[in-house]
Amino acid sequence: MRDRLLAAEKVKAIDWRDDALYLLDQRVLPFEETWHAYTTAAGVAEAIRSMVVRGAPAIGIAAAYGIALAARERFAKGGDWAGALVQDFEVLANSRPTAVNLFWALNRMRDRLARIKNNESPLAVLEAEAVAIHLSDREANLTMAQLGADLIRKHQGNLQTVLTHCNTGALATGGFGTALGVIRAAHLEGMIERVYADETRPWLQGSRLTAWELANEGIPVTVNADSAAAHLMKTKGITWVIVGADRITANGDVANKIGTYQLAVAAMHHGVRFMVVAPSSTIDMALASGDDIPIEERESRELLELGGKRVGADVDAFNPVFDVTPADLIDAIVTEKGIVERPDTAKMALLMCRKRLH
Ligand code: MRU
């Protein structure tokens, strides 16, 4: 399966080459495939804030490369270059608040910086750490894809019609995806009849990005309005809702793209299974429950404008871009360390003690 998954890999959104970080601009996909080059932490932070790069794991990877770039710039200036890097950590940490992968990756870079030995080349060490973060996310995707597909087979062996939300694919990760990775693996194993992709207002990660990724690979996909999801569960034989996560707390609550919570409520009502797929870098054991997760609110114009044109009345709009699904609405959390079914605090703690499965 691993080789078949790797062979099916078509899209990537993050490229580290020629002393620069290249990001595929996700604001203009699928109509334009535009890459931008970044050489500073401030540039990378702005790319995260403005959503050139998005998706929890991809944000973390980009931030790690941002530190490798900043180190180069500071080192060339001389003096206490490592001390000056504090500013770059801060600029990157302030780019978006909800995806914990950002802070996880920055902490890893900070720890590695603190452990650099006299006989090591600091710039090479920091670059290698960023590359390792990138590669290990790709490996985690492969493991989770297989585990998630096995879980689907275990519960319902026949053809599945699944619903997904936002974009959790190659564009959002260092590999080919979390929830979308599971869907890809299940498709390769002949288990997927059709994928319904919520359009994911207001950014349209579903209709622009997920539909594009799946259609490119010949996986049958139909886009639906977010508000059609409960109707689909009632009328289209949906067997699984499969989504990603931006932060999972110690009790198994899950923050993900706005609209995920109402999907979980509707899934429970209709007897549809609910799977969350995320690497352990998305798990924040420092927070007891989802109530503690900072939820990003973005500008009201993202709701009131379409393609830069005002379509809503001249009023304010409330635009939280994530919500929290309580653990008791979740059937399974799939990570590269294993699967937690019916998550709770004790099971999450046990999971985090395990080694990665790859
Ligand atoms: O605002 P976005 O597009 O960064 O939100 C992305 C999501 O909510 C994804 O579901 C999540 O980050 C998981 S991506 C593997």
Side-chain angles (χ1 to χ4, degrees):
M1 172 53 78
R2 187 191 152 83
D3 292 343
R4 287 165 71 206
L5 282 168
L6 286 172
E9 235 180 21
K10 290 214 168 80
V11 177
K12 71 172 166 182
I14 304 175
D15 202 11
W16 174 252
R17 65 185 152 83
D18 308 331
D19 289 340
L21 175 64
Y22 288 80
L23 298 173
L24 178 60
D25 191 341
Q26 301 196 29
R27 300 168 305 181
V28 293
L29 282 171
F31 305 106
E32 281 175 37
E33 289 182 38
T34 305
W35 288 83
H36 302 294
Y38 297 88
T39 54
T40 64
V44 175
E46 179 53 23
I48 295 171
R49 197 205 56 75
S50 64
M51 296 183 53
V52 169
V53 60
R54 45 144 300 281
I59 290 171
I61 295 162
Y65 284 125
I67 291 298
L69 290 167
R72 212 175 277 176
E73 214 185 350
R74 302 275 180 199
F75 190 80
K77 286 189 186 145
D80 179 13
W81 66 273
L85 263 185
V86 170
Q87 294 163 52
D88 303 292
F89 278 105
E90 201 174 311
V91 164
L92 284 160
N94 286 332
S95 57
R96 288 189 80 187
T98 304
V100 78
N101 308 61
L102 171 67
F103 309 101
W104 172 88
L106 290 175
N107 283 341
R108 244 183 89 161
M109 295 302 285
R110 200 179 282 112
D111 287 351
R112 193 62 192 90
L113 176 67
R115 284 188 292 107
I116 292 175
K117 300 194 188 89
N118 287 339
N119 61 351
E120 286 180 320
S121 151
L123 300 187
V125 163
L126 290 174
E127 175 176 343
E129 190 67 8
V131 170
I133 287 172
H134 192 169
L135 292 180
S136 75
D137 189 61
R138 189 162 178 249
E139 282 301 319
N141 284 182
L142 289 165
T143 308
M144 292 185 290
Q146 185 65 69
L147 289 175
D150 292 346
L151 184 69
I152 293 174
R153 193 182 306 96
K154 179 176 129 192
H155 283 288
Q156 284 141 323
N158 47 357
L159 273 182
Q160 312 291 312
T161 301
V162 303
L163 178 71
T164 191
H165 193 64
C166 197
N167 172 267
T168 60
L171 295 168
T173 63
F176 55 72
T178 56
L180 227 50
V182 169
I183 291 170
R184 284 186 157 109
H187 178 256
L188 281 175
E189 295 191 357
M191 292 193 284
I192 297 292
E193 177 145 35
R194 179 154 299 276
V195 181
Y196 282 94
D198 280 352
E199 68 170 347
T200 317
R201 283 274 296 147
W203 247 76
L204 307 181
Q205 288 95 331
S207 55
R208 292 189 305 109
L209 309 177
T210 297
W212 179 70
E213 281 197 41
L214 293 178
N216 278 346
E217 286 179 33
I219 300 177
V221 56
T222 302
V223 169
N224 56 275
D226 300 333
S227 44
H231 178 69
L232 287 177
M233 290 180 201
K234 191 164 133 189
T235 59
K236 295 288 184 194
I238 308 278
T239 46
W240 284 90
V241 173
I242 310 179
V243 296
D246 285 82
R247 194 182 296 226
I248 302 174
T249 52
N251 66 342
D253 288 351
V254 168
N256 190 47
K257 179 54 54 193
I258 190 77
T260 304
Y261 176 27
Q262 64 194 22
L263 283 181
V265 172
M268 181 64 84
H269 179 76
H270 292 97
V272 172
R273 289 183 175 276
F274 195 91
M275 185 194 305
V276 175
V277 189
S280 56
S281 54
T282 304
I283 299 174
D284 183 354
M285 294 300 279
L287 299 189
S289 85
D291 295 343
D292 304 326
I293 299 175
I295 299 293
E296 178 181 9
E297 289 175 23
R298 294 181 69 91
E299 293 166 76
S300 57
R301 66 175 183 79
E302 288 186 354
L303 279 179
L304 297 171
E305 292 179 1
L306 277 182
K309 191 174 177 298
R310 184 100 187 176
V311 289
D314 191 13
V315 296
D316 199 12
F318 177 47
N319 186 20
V321 298
F322 298 100
D323 58 25
V324 176
T325 300
D328 60 5
L329 294 180
I330 297 168
D331 287 292
I333 297 179
V334 177
T335 77
E336 84 286 7
K337 288 172 175 253
I339 299 177
V340 176
E341 294 197 51
R342 313 290 324 160
D344 60 25
T345 305
K347 291 182 195 171
M348 292 302 295
L350 267 180
L351 174 84
M352 292 310 278
C353 293
R354 286 195 216 153
K355 290 214 172 76
R356 299 165 75 99
L357 292 177
H358 56 258

